[in-house]
Amino acid sequence: MTIDSYKFAGKKAIVRVDFNVPLDENGKITDDTRIRGALPTLKKILADGGALIIMSHMGKPKGKVNAKFSLSQIVDAVSAQLGVAVQFAPDCAKAGEAAAALKPGEVLLLENLRFYPEEEGKPVGIDKEDPAYEEAKKAMKNSQKEFAKTLASYADCYVNDAFGTAHRKHASTAVIADYFDADNKMLGYLMEKEVQAVDNVLSNIKRPFTAIMGGSKVSTKIGIIENLMDKVDNLILCGGMTYTFAKAQGGHVGKSICEDDKLDLALDIIAKAKAKGVNLVLGTDCVAADDFSNDANTQICPANAIPEGWEGLDAGPATRESFAAAIKDAKTILWNGPAGVFEFDNFTAGSKAIADAIAEATKNGAFSLIGGGDSVACINKFGMADQVSYISTGGGALLEAIEGKILPGIAAIKG
Ligand code: AMP
């Protein structure tokens, strides 16, 4: 079923959203992007004459009630965004009456799902090493099903619009879907957009395809790099990874970040790229610093000949040019991870060169997907969010999707 074809009139829809918004010490929302992201789905259901039961998690209360993470703090903001006085159910597992009383156009927000350990389905208060752990896990899986069934009982249909948690098999993101038949469960608009964006870089690829993987370590990106190797024309590996590659090839990297136990892996990636005909673009020069700080002294040097006591914190000018050259004629672009320590203003040039080239390519018709926490922060820092095709809302979920993993939240609906 799709959200556009479902008849919501007179129906109650339970919608999983990601309202895990950041709050300040007074409980005020500091960034409402996630609430705004869910509005198209929520407004569509209301406009069609449906009633809404909204559910979400917030923070990590670890299965216990904790006022700091209460969704009661966002009721006013959600009411203002929806233009409807949102009702609040202070116990998400005891909201049957309030849900039953909802009339078309009305909205009920459930309290934080993660106040119940059943949401995540992990046994609490028992160590993994404990012999009784497996039993506890089994018992928790059963109570997770009961919890999901209770949530499902509130509504006629289920909509999942929380891409940020789609890689988790939680009660509200996946298990609940078992209690609705295929005609009564669907993805929301935000989810549909994310799925489409991932499809554009994994299957529906316009060529040339350039992927840019940055960040600090090869080890955390290896699954993605391997999956992309079969798909891309150009693969730029930048950021801290540069120095593991440089050292693996016999270079000297000073005190740059380097994973000494991943040198063979780096050589393996180089060999695989060659065998598959992928144009692997690595940093050749860098901005080296004598300290890990914004005010450090700097010098430009080859990425494989960094003086002792110095560390590469950003891509050098020749590298920036080679990155831009591999990006600007691309028709599909994926960017995850900065090319330098972009949090320091003096080490943003590599990431900025990438962002500029992506913006240019996008203007020329490329599809560009930016995702995974830090590259999003980076593009926002440059004020260039409106110059790329799509910015993913899912950190871990996006990375798992690009690795080629099936996301439980999507599989639960699409099979
Ligand atoms: P990740 O979470 O693996 O995507 O890594 C993102 C982090 O990598 C950012 O906080 C950057 O500051 C950091 N980073 C990028 N380039 C370097 C570098 N050359 N040295 C140390 N850290 C880096």
PDB file of all heavy atoms in Angstrom, residues 37 161-164 166 187-201 367 369-372 390-395 397-399 401-402 407 410:
ATOM      1  N   GLY A  37      10.203  17.506   8.993  1.00  0.00           N
ATOM      2  CA  GLY A  37      10.366  16.417   8.029  1.00  0.00           C
ATOM      3  C   GLY A  37       9.154  15.500   7.957  1.00  0.00           C
ATOM      4  O   GLY A  37       8.850  14.934   6.905  1.00  0.00           O
ATOM      5  N   ASP A 161       7.307   6.524   9.065  1.00  0.00           N
ATOM      6  CA  ASP A 161       7.967   7.663   8.425  1.00  0.00           C
ATOM      7  C   ASP A 161       9.254   8.026   9.167  1.00  0.00           C
ATOM      8  O   ASP A 161       9.722   9.156   9.090  1.00  0.00           O
ATOM      9  CB  ASP A 161       7.015   8.873   8.388  1.00  0.00           C
ATOM     10  CG  ASP A 161       7.274   9.741   7.156  1.00  0.00           C
ATOM     11  OD1 ASP A 161       7.915   9.254   6.208  1.00  0.00           O
ATOM     12  OD2 ASP A 161       6.813  10.905   7.141  1.00  0.00           O
ATOM     13  N   ALA A 162       9.816   7.050   9.889  1.00  0.00           N
ATOM     14  CA  ALA A 162      11.004   7.326  10.709  1.00  0.00           C
ATOM     15  C   ALA A 162      12.222   6.646  10.091  1.00  0.00           C
ATOM     16  O   ALA A 162      12.616   5.555  10.503  1.00  0.00           O
ATOM     17  CB  ALA A 162      10.768   6.831  12.138  1.00  0.00           C
ATOM     18  N   PHE A 163      12.810   7.299   9.092  1.00  0.00           N
ATOM     19  CA  PHE A 163      13.958   6.686   8.418  1.00  0.00           C
ATOM     20  C   PHE A 163      15.144   6.531   9.375  1.00  0.00           C
ATOM     21  O   PHE A 163      15.883   5.545   9.297  1.00  0.00           O
ATOM     22  CB  PHE A 163      14.369   7.516   7.197  1.00  0.00           C
ATOM     23  CG  PHE A 163      15.469   6.862   6.412  1.00  0.00           C
ATOM     24  CD1 PHE A 163      15.231   5.696   5.694  1.00  0.00           C
ATOM     25  CD2 PHE A 163      16.748   7.398   6.396  1.00  0.00           C
ATOM     26  CE1 PHE A 163      16.254   5.072   4.979  1.00  0.00           C
ATOM     27  CE2 PHE A 163      17.771   6.779   5.685  1.00  0.00           C
ATOM     28  CZ  PHE A 163      17.528   5.621   4.967  1.00  0.00           C
ATOM     29  N   GLY A 164      15.288   7.491  10.289  1.00  0.00           N
ATOM     30  CA  GLY A 164      16.418   7.470  11.218  1.00  0.00           C
ATOM     31  C   GLY A 164      16.510   6.196  12.052  1.00  0.00           C
ATOM     32  O   GLY A 164      17.588   5.833  12.507  1.00  0.00           O
ATOM     33  N   ALA A 166      15.052   3.212  10.867  1.00  0.00           N
ATOM     34  CA  ALA A 166      14.642   2.110   9.980  1.00  0.00           C
ATOM     35  C   ALA A 166      15.597   0.924  10.039  1.00  0.00           C
ATOM     36  O   ALA A 166      15.251  -0.185   9.642  1.00  0.00           O
ATOM     37  CB  ALA A 166      14.513   2.604   8.544  1.00  0.00           C
ATOM     38  N   LEU A 187       4.777   3.095   3.861  1.00  0.00           N
ATOM     39  CA  LEU A 187       5.818   4.057   4.217  1.00  0.00           C
ATOM     40  C   LEU A 187       5.239   5.462   4.107  1.00  0.00           C
ATOM     41  O   LEU A 187       4.382   5.719   3.261  1.00  0.00           O
ATOM     42  CB  LEU A 187       6.999   3.941   3.239  1.00  0.00           C
ATOM     43  CG  LEU A 187       7.683   2.581   3.129  1.00  0.00           C
ATOM     44  CD1 LEU A 187       8.824   2.652   2.110  1.00  0.00           C
ATOM     45  CD2 LEU A 187       8.235   2.138   4.488  1.00  0.00           C
ATOM     46  N   GLY A 188       5.736   6.381   4.945  1.00  0.00           N
ATOM     47  CA  GLY A 188       5.347   7.785   4.821  1.00  0.00           C
ATOM     48  C   GLY A 188       6.168   8.459   3.731  1.00  0.00           C
ATOM     49  O   GLY A 188       7.071   7.855   3.139  1.00  0.00           O
ATOM     50  N   TYR A 189       5.865   9.744   3.480  1.00  0.00           N
ATOM     51  CA  TYR A 189       6.551  10.459   2.390  1.00  0.00           C
ATOM     52  C   TYR A 189       8.059  10.588   2.613  1.00  0.00           C
ATOM     53  O   TYR A 189       8.849  10.493   1.687  1.00  0.00           O
ATOM     54  CB  TYR A 189       5.965  11.870   2.232  1.00  0.00           C
ATOM     55  CG  TYR A 189       4.597  11.903   1.603  1.00  0.00           C
ATOM     56  CD1 TYR A 189       3.550  12.583   2.212  1.00  0.00           C
ATOM     57  CD2 TYR A 189       4.358  11.281   0.381  1.00  0.00           C
ATOM     58  CE1 TYR A 189       2.293  12.634   1.632  1.00  0.00           C
ATOM     59  CE2 TYR A 189       3.102  11.321  -0.203  1.00  0.00           C
ATOM     60  CZ  TYR A 189       2.072  12.006   0.429  1.00  0.00           C
ATOM     61  OH  TYR A 189       0.837  12.053  -0.150  1.00  0.00           O
ATOM     62  N   LEU A 190       8.448  10.857   3.866  1.00  0.00           N
ATOM     63  CA  LEU A 190       9.872  11.039   4.135  1.00  0.00           C
ATOM     64  C   LEU A 190      10.626   9.736   3.842  1.00  0.00           C
ATOM     65  O   LEU A 190      11.668   9.736   3.180  1.00  0.00           O
ATOM     66  CB  LEU A 190      10.063  11.455   5.605  1.00  0.00           C
ATOM     67  CG  LEU A 190      11.484  11.726   6.050  1.00  0.00           C
ATOM     68  CD1 LEU A 190      12.084  12.893   5.285  1.00  0.00           C
ATOM     69  CD2 LEU A 190      11.515  12.030   7.547  1.00  0.00           C
ATOM     70  N   MET A 191      10.048   8.641   4.294  1.00  0.00           N
ATOM     71  CA  MET A 191      10.636   7.325   4.036  1.00  0.00           C
ATOM     72  C   MET A 191      10.709   7.057   2.542  1.00  0.00           C
ATOM     73  O   MET A 191      11.717   6.579   2.031  1.00  0.00           O
ATOM     74  CB  MET A 191       9.782   6.238   4.673  1.00  0.00           C
ATOM     75  CG  MET A 191      10.100   5.998   6.091  1.00  0.00           C
ATOM     76  SD  MET A 191      11.589   4.992   6.221  1.00  0.00           S
ATOM     77  CE  MET A 191      10.986   3.701   7.253  1.00  0.00           C
ATOM     78  N   GLU A 192       9.612   7.381   1.839  1.00  0.00           N
ATOM     79  CA  GLU A 192       9.601   7.144   0.383  1.00  0.00           C
ATOM     80  C   GLU A 192      10.730   7.915  -0.279  1.00  0.00           C
ATOM     81  O   GLU A 192      11.406   7.416  -1.178  1.00  0.00           O
ATOM     82  CB  GLU A 192       8.256   7.576  -0.224  1.00  0.00           C
ATOM     83  CG  GLU A 192       7.147   6.557  -0.040  1.00  0.00           C
ATOM     84  CD  GLU A 192       5.860   6.970  -0.750  1.00  0.00           C
ATOM     85  OE1 GLU A 192       5.777   8.122  -1.248  1.00  0.00           O
ATOM     86  OE2 GLU A 192       4.925   6.142  -0.793  1.00  0.00           O
ATOM     87  N   LYS A 193      10.926   9.165   0.177  1.00  0.00           N
ATOM     88  CA  LYS A 193      11.989   9.997  -0.425  1.00  0.00           C
ATOM     89  C   LYS A 193      13.370   9.408  -0.155  1.00  0.00           C
ATOM     90  O   LYS A 193      14.238   9.382  -1.014  1.00  0.00           O
ATOM     91  CB  LYS A 193      11.929  11.425   0.156  1.00  0.00           C
ATOM     92  CG  LYS A 193      10.988  12.344  -0.593  1.00  0.00           C
ATOM     93  CD  LYS A 193      11.349  13.805  -0.391  1.00  0.00           C
ATOM     94  CE  LYS A 193      11.072  14.266   1.017  1.00  0.00           C
ATOM     95  NZ  LYS A 193      11.214  15.695   1.260  1.00  0.00           N
ATOM     96  N   GLU A 194      13.565   8.938   1.075  1.00  0.00           N
ATOM     97  CA  GLU A 194      14.861   8.355   1.442  1.00  0.00           C
ATOM     98  C   GLU A 194      15.127   7.089   0.636  1.00  0.00           C
ATOM     99  O   GLU A 194      16.222   6.876   0.133  1.00  0.00           O
ATOM    100  CB  GLU A 194      14.891   8.006   2.939  1.00  0.00           C
ATOM    101  CG  GLU A 194      14.790   9.202   3.868  1.00  0.00           C
ATOM    102  CD  GLU A 194      16.130   9.895   4.132  1.00  0.00           C
ATOM    103  OE1 GLU A 194      17.160   9.448   3.607  1.00  0.00           O
ATOM    104  OE2 GLU A 194      16.121  10.893   4.869  1.00  0.00           O
ATOM    105  N   VAL A 195      14.083   6.256   0.517  1.00  0.00           N
ATOM    106  CA  VAL A 195      14.234   4.999  -0.218  1.00  0.00           C
ATOM    107  C   VAL A 195      14.566   5.307  -1.683  1.00  0.00           C
ATOM    108  O   VAL A 195      15.439   4.683  -2.295  1.00  0.00           O
ATOM    109  CB  VAL A 195      12.950   4.142  -0.099  1.00  0.00           C
ATOM    110  CG1 VAL A 195      12.974   2.947  -1.032  1.00  0.00           C
ATOM    111  CG2 VAL A 195      12.767   3.682   1.344  1.00  0.00           C
ATOM    112  N   GLN A 196      13.882   6.302  -2.237  1.00  0.00           N
ATOM    113  CA  GLN A 196      14.145   6.707  -3.622  1.00  0.00           C
ATOM    114  C   GLN A 196      15.579   7.210  -3.780  1.00  0.00           C
ATOM    115  O   GLN A 196      16.279   6.876  -4.745  1.00  0.00           O
ATOM    116  CB  GLN A 196      13.149   7.819  -4.017  1.00  0.00           C
ATOM    117  CG  GLN A 196      13.293   8.304  -5.448  1.00  0.00           C
ATOM    118  CD  GLN A 196      13.035   7.193  -6.462  1.00  0.00           C
ATOM    119  OE1 GLN A 196      12.013   6.525  -6.391  1.00  0.00           O
ATOM    120  NE2 GLN A 196      13.973   6.962  -7.368  1.00  0.00           N
ATOM    121  N   ALA A 197      16.038   8.028  -2.825  1.00  0.00           N
ATOM    122  CA  ALA A 197      17.395   8.590  -2.898  1.00  0.00           C
ATOM    123  C   ALA A 197      18.437   7.470  -2.855  1.00  0.00           C
ATOM    124  O   ALA A 197      19.400   7.473  -3.627  1.00  0.00           O
ATOM    125  CB  ALA A 197      17.621   9.580  -1.758  1.00  0.00           C
ATOM    126  N   VAL A 198      18.218   6.503  -1.972  1.00  0.00           N
ATOM    127  CA  VAL A 198      19.161   5.384  -1.874  1.00  0.00           C
ATOM    128  C   VAL A 198      19.122   4.575  -3.177  1.00  0.00           C
ATOM    129  O   VAL A 198      20.158   4.165  -3.708  1.00  0.00           O
ATOM    130  CB  VAL A 198      18.831   4.488  -0.654  1.00  0.00           C
ATOM    131  CG1 VAL A 198      19.628   3.195  -0.696  1.00  0.00           C
ATOM    132  CG2 VAL A 198      19.119   5.237   0.646  1.00  0.00           C
ATOM    133  N   ASP A 199      17.917   4.391  -3.714  1.00  0.00           N
ATOM    134  CA  ASP A 199      17.783   3.649  -4.968  1.00  0.00           C
ATOM    135  C   ASP A 199      18.549   4.347  -6.098  1.00  0.00           C
ATOM    136  O   ASP A 199      19.183   3.695  -6.928  1.00  0.00           O
ATOM    137  CB  ASP A 199      16.290   3.526  -5.320  1.00  0.00           C
ATOM    138  CG  ASP A 199      16.074   2.565  -6.461  1.00  0.00           C
ATOM    139  OD1 ASP A 199      16.545   1.424  -6.337  1.00  0.00           O
ATOM    140  OD2 ASP A 199      15.474   2.953  -7.483  1.00  0.00           O
ATOM    141  N   ASN A 200      18.525   5.681  -6.094  1.00  0.00           N
ATOM    142  CA  ASN A 200      19.229   6.435  -7.140  1.00  0.00           C
ATOM    143  C   ASN A 200      20.731   6.188  -7.128  1.00  0.00           C
ATOM    144  O   ASN A 200      21.386   6.317  -8.150  1.00  0.00           O
ATOM    145  CB  ASN A 200      18.993   7.944  -6.965  1.00  0.00           C
ATOM    146  CG  ASN A 200      17.621   8.361  -7.436  1.00  0.00           C
ATOM    147  OD1 ASN A 200      16.899   7.573  -8.042  1.00  0.00           O
ATOM    148  ND2 ASN A 200      17.247   9.591  -7.152  1.00  0.00           N
ATOM    149  N   VAL A 201      21.285   5.890  -5.940  1.00  0.00           N
ATOM    150  CA  VAL A 201      22.733   5.659  -5.895  1.00  0.00           C
ATOM    151  C   VAL A 201      23.096   4.172  -5.864  1.00  0.00           C
ATOM    152  O   VAL A 201      24.264   3.832  -6.025  1.00  0.00           O
ATOM    153  CB  VAL A 201      23.413   6.392  -4.702  1.00  0.00           C
ATOM    154  CG1 VAL A 201      23.237   7.894  -4.814  1.00  0.00           C
ATOM    155  CG2 VAL A 201      22.934   5.883  -3.378  1.00  0.00           C
ATOM    156  N   PHE A 367      22.432  13.911  -9.818  1.00  0.00           N
ATOM    157  CA  PHE A 367      21.726  13.637  -8.568  1.00  0.00           C
ATOM    158  C   PHE A 367      22.778  13.501  -7.472  1.00  0.00           C
ATOM    159  O   PHE A 367      23.686  12.671  -7.580  1.00  0.00           O
ATOM    160  CB  PHE A 367      20.904  12.341  -8.661  1.00  0.00           C
ATOM    161  CG  PHE A 367      20.278  11.984  -7.337  1.00  0.00           C
ATOM    162  CD1 PHE A 367      19.120  12.604  -6.914  1.00  0.00           C
ATOM    163  CD2 PHE A 367      20.900  11.074  -6.482  1.00  0.00           C
ATOM    164  CE1 PHE A 367      18.568  12.317  -5.663  1.00  0.00           C
ATOM    165  CE2 PHE A 367      20.364  10.779  -5.239  1.00  0.00           C
ATOM    166  CZ  PHE A 367      19.187  11.407  -4.829  1.00  0.00           C
ATOM    167  N   LEU A 369      23.507  12.946  -3.385  1.00  0.00           N
ATOM    168  CA  LEU A 369      22.976  12.537  -2.070  1.00  0.00           C
ATOM    169  C   LEU A 369      24.066  12.746  -1.022  1.00  0.00           C
ATOM    170  O   LEU A 369      25.183  12.242  -1.168  1.00  0.00           O
ATOM    171  CB  LEU A 369      22.569  11.056  -2.126  1.00  0.00           C
ATOM    172  CG  LEU A 369      22.276  10.344  -0.798  1.00  0.00           C
ATOM    173  CD1 LEU A 369      21.144  11.022  -0.033  1.00  0.00           C
ATOM    174  CD2 LEU A 369      21.894   8.886  -1.046  1.00  0.00           C
ATOM    175  N   ILE A 370      23.724  13.515   0.002  1.00  0.00           N
ATOM    176  CA  ILE A 370      24.662  13.756   1.088  1.00  0.00           C
ATOM    177  C   ILE A 370      24.091  13.086   2.324  1.00  0.00           C
ATOM    178  O   ILE A 370      22.920  13.288   2.644  1.00  0.00           O
ATOM    179  CB  ILE A 370      24.789  15.273   1.414  1.00  0.00           C
ATOM    180  CG1 ILE A 370      24.814  16.123   0.150  1.00  0.00           C
ATOM    181  CG2 ILE A 370      25.976  15.550   2.327  1.00  0.00           C
ATOM    182  CD1 ILE A 370      25.990  15.971  -0.715  1.00  0.00           C
ATOM    183  N   GLY A 371      24.883  12.302   3.033  1.00  0.00           N
ATOM    184  CA  GLY A 371      24.306  11.662   4.207  1.00  0.00           C
ATOM    185  C   GLY A 371      25.328  11.139   5.177  1.00  0.00           C
ATOM    186  O   GLY A 371      26.510  11.016   4.858  1.00  0.00           O
ATOM    187  N   GLY A 372      24.844  10.837   6.353  1.00  0.00           N
ATOM    188  CA  GLY A 372      25.724  10.381   7.429  1.00  0.00           C
ATOM    189  C   GLY A 372      26.222  11.611   8.140  1.00  0.00           C
ATOM    190  O   GLY A 372      26.964  12.400   7.556  1.00  0.00           O
ATOM    191  N   TYR A 390      19.717  15.934  -2.434  1.00  0.00           N
ATOM    192  CA  TYR A 390      19.017  15.350  -1.290  1.00  0.00           C
ATOM    193  C   TYR A 390      19.955  15.181  -0.109  1.00  0.00           C
ATOM    194  O   TYR A 390      21.081  14.703  -0.267  1.00  0.00           O
ATOM    195  CB  TYR A 390      18.404  13.988  -1.667  1.00  0.00           C
ATOM    196  CG  TYR A 390      17.440  13.493  -0.627  1.00  0.00           C
ATOM    197  CD1 TYR A 390      16.183  14.080  -0.494  1.00  0.00           C
ATOM    198  CD2 TYR A 390      17.796  12.484   0.264  1.00  0.00           C
ATOM    199  CE1 TYR A 390      15.302  13.659   0.500  1.00  0.00           C
ATOM    200  CE2 TYR A 390      16.916  12.058   1.253  1.00  0.00           C
ATOM    201  CZ  TYR A 390      15.670  12.654   1.365  1.00  0.00           C
ATOM    202  OH  TYR A 390      14.818  12.245   2.345  1.00  0.00           O
ATOM    203  N   ILE A 391      19.481  15.601   1.056  1.00  0.00           N
ATOM    204  CA  ILE A 391      20.249  15.389   2.280  1.00  0.00           C
ATOM    205  C   ILE A 391      19.487  14.371   3.113  1.00  0.00           C
ATOM    206  O   ILE A 391      18.331  14.595   3.473  1.00  0.00           O
ATOM    207  CB  ILE A 391      20.437  16.704   3.055  1.00  0.00           C
ATOM    208  CG1 ILE A 391      21.274  17.669   2.209  1.00  0.00           C
ATOM    209  CG2 ILE A 391      21.089  16.446   4.409  1.00  0.00           C
ATOM    210  CD1 ILE A 391      21.676  18.933   2.887  1.00  0.00           C
ATOM    211  N   SER A 392      20.113  13.253   3.378  1.00  0.00           N
ATOM    212  CA  SER A 392      19.423  12.195   4.112  1.00  0.00           C
ATOM    213  C   SER A 392      19.254  12.577   5.581  1.00  0.00           C
ATOM    214  O   SER A 392      20.121  13.209   6.169  1.00  0.00           O
ATOM    215  CB  SER A 392      20.209  10.893   4.012  1.00  0.00           C
ATOM    216  OG  SER A 392      19.596   9.919   4.820  1.00  0.00           O
ATOM    217  N   THR A 393      18.119  12.139   6.162  1.00  0.00           N
ATOM    218  CA  THR A 393      17.881  12.394   7.588  1.00  0.00           C
ATOM    219  C   THR A 393      18.418  11.247   8.443  1.00  0.00           C
ATOM    220  O   THR A 393      18.419  11.339   9.653  1.00  0.00           O
ATOM    221  CB  THR A 393      16.371  12.522   7.881  1.00  0.00           C
ATOM    222  OG1 THR A 393      15.735  11.309   7.449  1.00  0.00           O
ATOM    223  CG2 THR A 393      15.757  13.696   7.164  1.00  0.00           C
ATOM    224  N   GLY A 394      18.854  10.175   7.785  1.00  0.00           N
ATOM    225  CA  GLY A 394      19.255   8.999   8.571  1.00  0.00           C
ATOM    226  C   GLY A 394      20.753   8.805   8.574  1.00  0.00           C
ATOM    227  O   GLY A 394      21.351   8.646   7.513  1.00  0.00           O
ATOM    228  N   GLY A 395      21.373   8.825   9.728  1.00  0.00           N
ATOM    229  CA  GLY A 395      22.806   8.565   9.834  1.00  0.00           C
ATOM    230  C   GLY A 395      23.079   7.089   9.629  1.00  0.00           C
ATOM    231  O   GLY A 395      23.380   6.626   8.525  1.00  0.00           O
ATOM    232  N   ALA A 397      21.069   4.581   9.532  1.00  0.00           N
ATOM    233  CA  ALA A 397      20.162   3.903   8.595  1.00  0.00           C
ATOM    234  C   ALA A 397      20.649   4.073   7.167  1.00  0.00           C
ATOM    235  O   ALA A 397      20.659   3.128   6.381  1.00  0.00           O
ATOM    236  CB  ALA A 397      18.744   4.460   8.746  1.00  0.00           C
ATOM    237  N   LEU A 398      21.091   5.285   6.842  1.00  0.00           N
ATOM    238  CA  LEU A 398      21.571   5.528   5.478  1.00  0.00           C
ATOM    239  C   LEU A 398      22.821   4.687   5.209  1.00  0.00           C
ATOM    240  O   LEU A 398      22.939   4.044   4.159  1.00  0.00           O
ATOM    241  CB  LEU A 398      21.903   7.008   5.269  1.00  0.00           C
ATOM    242  CG  LEU A 398      22.463   7.280   3.873  1.00  0.00           C
ATOM    243  CD1 LEU A 398      21.369   7.270   2.824  1.00  0.00           C
ATOM    244  CD2 LEU A 398      23.247   8.562   3.812  1.00  0.00           C
ATOM    245  N   LEU A 399      23.746   4.690   6.158  1.00  0.00           N
ATOM    246  CA  LEU A 399      24.992   3.954   5.950  1.00  0.00           C
ATOM    247  C   LEU A 399      24.722   2.463   5.764  1.00  0.00           C
ATOM    248  O   LEU A 399      25.287   1.825   4.884  1.00  0.00           O
ATOM    249  CB  LEU A 399      25.964   4.200   7.107  1.00  0.00           C
ATOM    250  CG  LEU A 399      26.384   5.672   7.274  1.00  0.00           C
ATOM    251  CD1 LEU A 399      27.449   5.808   8.356  1.00  0.00           C
ATOM    252  CD2 LEU A 399      26.904   6.271   5.979  1.00  0.00           C
ATOM    253  N   ALA A 401      21.956   1.153   4.645  1.00  0.00           N
ATOM    254  CA  ALA A 401      21.294   0.977   3.343  1.00  0.00           C
ATOM    255  C   ALA A 401      22.335   0.979   2.222  1.00  0.00           C
ATOM    256  O   ALA A 401      22.277   0.163   1.301  1.00  0.00           O
ATOM    257  CB  ALA A 401      20.254   2.070   3.111  1.00  0.00           C
ATOM    258  N   ILE A 402      23.310   1.880   2.313  1.00  0.00           N
ATOM    259  CA  ILE A 402      24.332   1.963   1.260  1.00  0.00           C
ATOM    260  C   ILE A 402      25.262   0.749   1.301  1.00  0.00           C
ATOM    261  O   ILE A 402      25.801   0.334   0.288  1.00  0.00           O
ATOM    262  CB  ILE A 402      25.140   3.267   1.372  1.00  0.00           C
ATOM    263  CG1 ILE A 402      24.211   4.470   1.188  1.00  0.00           C
ATOM    264  CG2 ILE A 402      26.217   3.339   0.300  1.00  0.00           C
ATOM    265  CD1 ILE A 402      24.875   5.771   1.515  1.00  0.00           C
ATOM    266  N   LEU A 407      16.961  -2.919   5.463  1.00  0.00           N
ATOM    267  CA  LEU A 407      16.565  -2.221   6.691  1.00  0.00           C
ATOM    268  C   LEU A 407      15.268  -2.844   7.226  1.00  0.00           C
ATOM    269  O   LEU A 407      14.262  -2.886   6.514  1.00  0.00           O
ATOM    270  CB  LEU A 407      16.364  -0.733   6.430  1.00  0.00           C
ATOM    271  CG  LEU A 407      17.564   0.019   5.838  1.00  0.00           C
ATOM    272  CD1 LEU A 407      17.257   1.520   5.748  1.00  0.00           C
ATOM    273  CD2 LEU A 407      18.829  -0.195   6.647  1.00  0.00           C
ATOM    274  N   ILE A 410      11.921  -1.063   6.700  1.00  0.00           N
ATOM    275  CA  ILE A 410      11.387  -1.040   5.335  1.00  0.00           C
ATOM    276  C   ILE A 410      10.914  -2.440   4.955  1.00  0.00           C
ATOM    277  O   ILE A 410       9.816  -2.603   4.400  1.00  0.00           O
ATOM    278  CB  ILE A 410      12.451  -0.487   4.371  1.00  0.00           C
ATOM    279  CG1 ILE A 410      12.674   0.994   4.710  1.00  0.00           C
ATOM    280  CG2 ILE A 410      12.011  -0.649   2.913  1.00  0.00           C
ATOM    281  CD1 ILE A 410      13.837   1.643   4.032  1.00  0.00           C
TER     282      ILE A 410
END
